[in-house]
């Protein structure tokens, strides 16, 4: 394991890394070496996270439960909400067919807590749009069920453990695994829920029915933030 990562380690502060181990270390792992990476992650303890690429597969992080609602029902409702809010985005490439959106999802459960990662593996977004979408959904639900901090820089990968720097150890049972185990190999599972893509365009947008409301909400939120900043300055 160490010999593999040694080949791809980059200095602290490097911006064009691809992966980060929360125990320590930044790496730039080539696309053609990812299968080797996945094989290592199956065999050894790490706390590896994927850096968010310009275009990612849409995912949500549910850290604080669902108020007793069965997670499968909750995510199915979320899927229907996404169907209501999103439309296919026309590609900039000429003659490229506009495809209907595919809302297929996979639920991964934290093995030690009622926390979930949900991957909509065929919805392609950038992190700015993902955050805007999650904020709008949370506002409509009246509670922040979906973690709005999940789109900062990196996201913890399938199967790996959380690492506590304070305690200096891996947290037992902190890994995420598929709630309904698909008939796939570990390699196929890693590929399926890897958020990174090499795509250059999103494939979805807010539909015309709600775009105006989304923009109003953003404007209002900015006004509140500006007012709060002024109050702090006056103090």
């Amino acid at each position: 394991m160490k010999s593999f990562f040694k080949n791809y380690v980059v200095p602290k502060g490097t911006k064009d890394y691809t992966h980060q181990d929360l125990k320590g270390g930044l790496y730039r792992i080539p696309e053609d070496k990812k299968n080797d990476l996945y094989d290592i992650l199956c065999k050894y303890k790490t706390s590896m996270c994927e850096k968010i690429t310009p275009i990612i597969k849409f995912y949500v992080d549910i850290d604080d439960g669902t108020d007793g609602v069965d997670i499968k029902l909750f995510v199915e409702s979320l899927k229907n909400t996404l169907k209501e809010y999103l439309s296919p985005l026309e590609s900039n490439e000429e003659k490229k067919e506009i495809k209907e959106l595919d809302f297929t999802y996979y639920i991964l459960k934290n093995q030690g807590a009622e926390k979930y990662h949900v991957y909509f593996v065929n919805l392609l977004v950038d992190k700015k749009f993902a955050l805007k979408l999650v904020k709008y959904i949370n506002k409509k639900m009246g509670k922040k069920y979906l973690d709005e901090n999940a789109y900062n820089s990196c996201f913890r990968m399938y199967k790996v453990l959380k690492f506590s720097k304070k305690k200096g150890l891996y947290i037992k049972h902190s890994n995420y695994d598929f709630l309904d185990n698909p008939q796939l190999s570990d390699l196929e599972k890693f590929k399926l829920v890897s958020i990174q893509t090499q795509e250059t365009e999103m494939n979805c947008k807010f539909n015309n029915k709600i775009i105006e409301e989304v923009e109003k909400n953003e404007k209002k939120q900015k006004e509140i933030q500006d007012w709060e900043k002024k109050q702090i300055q006056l103090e």
Side-chain angles (χ1 to χ4, degrees):
M1 180 181 79
K2 289 183 179 179
S3 61
F4 174 83
F5 287 118
K6 184 178 179 181
N7 292 328
Y8 305 112
V9 66
V10 294
K12 185 178 180 180
T14 300
K15 293 184 178 181
D16 61 340
Y17 65 95
T18 61
H19 294 77
Q20 176 180 7
D21 192 335
L22 296 182
K23 186 179 180 181
L26 297 178
Y27 305 93
R28 188 188 301 126
I29 299 174
E31 194 68 27
D32 63 357
K33 296 297 181 181
K34 283 189 176 179
N35 285 0
D36 295 333
L37 169 65
Y38 300 150
D39 186 55
I40 288 170
L41 297 183
C42 285
K43 297 176 180 177
Y44 300 95
K45 285 183 180 180
T46 76
S47 191
M48 194 64 67
C49 300
E50 293 181 288
K51 183 184 179 183
I52 293 175
T53 49
I55 300 296
I56 54 174
K57 299 171 187 175
F58 180 60
Y59 61 88
V60 297
D61 184 4
I62 303 171
D63 263 352
D64 296 320
T66 56
D67 287 341
V69 178
D70 180 84
I71 187 61
K72 292 183 179 180
L73 295 177
F74 183 90
V75 177
E76 189 64 19
S77 176
L78 176 60
K79 181 183 84 168
N80 292 331
T81 297
L82 292 173
K83 284 184 175 182
E84 180 185 348
Y85 291 173
L86 301 179
S87 298
L89 180 63
E90 186 175 354
S91 172
N92 290 327
E93 296 180 29
E94 291 185 11
K95 298 180 180 179
K96 192 169 182 178
E97 181 183 358
I98 301 176
K99 296 182 179 179
E100 290 296 315
L101 295 176
D102 181 349
F103 294 88
T104 299
Y105 61 81
Y106 295 89
I107 304 172
L108 275 67
K109 184 184 182 300
N110 186 296
Q111 298 304 286
E114 290 300 315
K115 300 181 178 183
Y116 303 89
H117 290 168
V118 184
Y119 299 84
F120 290 85
V121 295
N122 295 305
L123 295 182
L124 302 177
V125 299
D126 61 26
K127 69 176 186 178
K128 183 178 179 181
F129 183 85
L131 179 57
K132 187 184 293 188
L133 177 57
V134 162
K135 282 185 174 181
Y136 184 75
I137 292 172
N138 281 339
K139 182 176 176 58
K140 285 295 186 181
M141 290 194 294
K143 183 177 178 179
K144 292 184 179 180
Y145 288 104
L146 312 181
D147 186 1
E148 296 176 7
N149 295 312
Y151 313 98
N152 292 331
S153 58
C154 295
F155 196 63
R156 188 149 57 97
M157 298 176 71
Y158 158 63
K159 214 172 182 69
V160 306
L161 295 168
K162 185 174 182 179
F163 185 79
S164 170
K165 288 189 176 181
K166 185 176 180 180
K167 296 179 181 179
L169 50 78
Y170 291 102
I171 307 301
K172 289 183 179 180
H173 311 302
S174 59
N175 57 301
Y176 285 79
D177 208 342
F178 285 78
L179 189 63
D180 291 323
N181 194 25
Q183 299 302 306
L184 300 171
S185 67
D186 275 328
L187 175 60
E188 290 171 323
K189 290 176 183 177
F190 268 110
K191 288 182 176 181
L192 183 64
V193 296
S194 167
I195 63 168
Q196 294 181 338
T197 79
Q198 294 183 299
E199 300 293 335
T200 58
E201 298 177 338
M202 302 197 316
N203 67 354
C204 57
K205 63 178 181 178
F206 286 111
N207 66 42
N208 294 333
K209 293 180 181 179
I210 65 166
I211 187 63
E212 187 176 336
E213 184 178 354
V214 171
E215 291 173 350
K216 283 182 179 179
N217 287 340
E218 283 190 316
K219 184 178 179 181
K220 185 176 180 181
Q221 187 62 35
K222 187 176 185 307
E223 289 173 351
I224 292 172
Q225 290 172 349
D226 290 343
W227 181 85
E228 289 175 343
K229 286 179 182 178
K230 288 180 180 178
Q231 297 307 305
I232 293 172
Q233 290 171 356
L234 290 173
E235 292 175 359

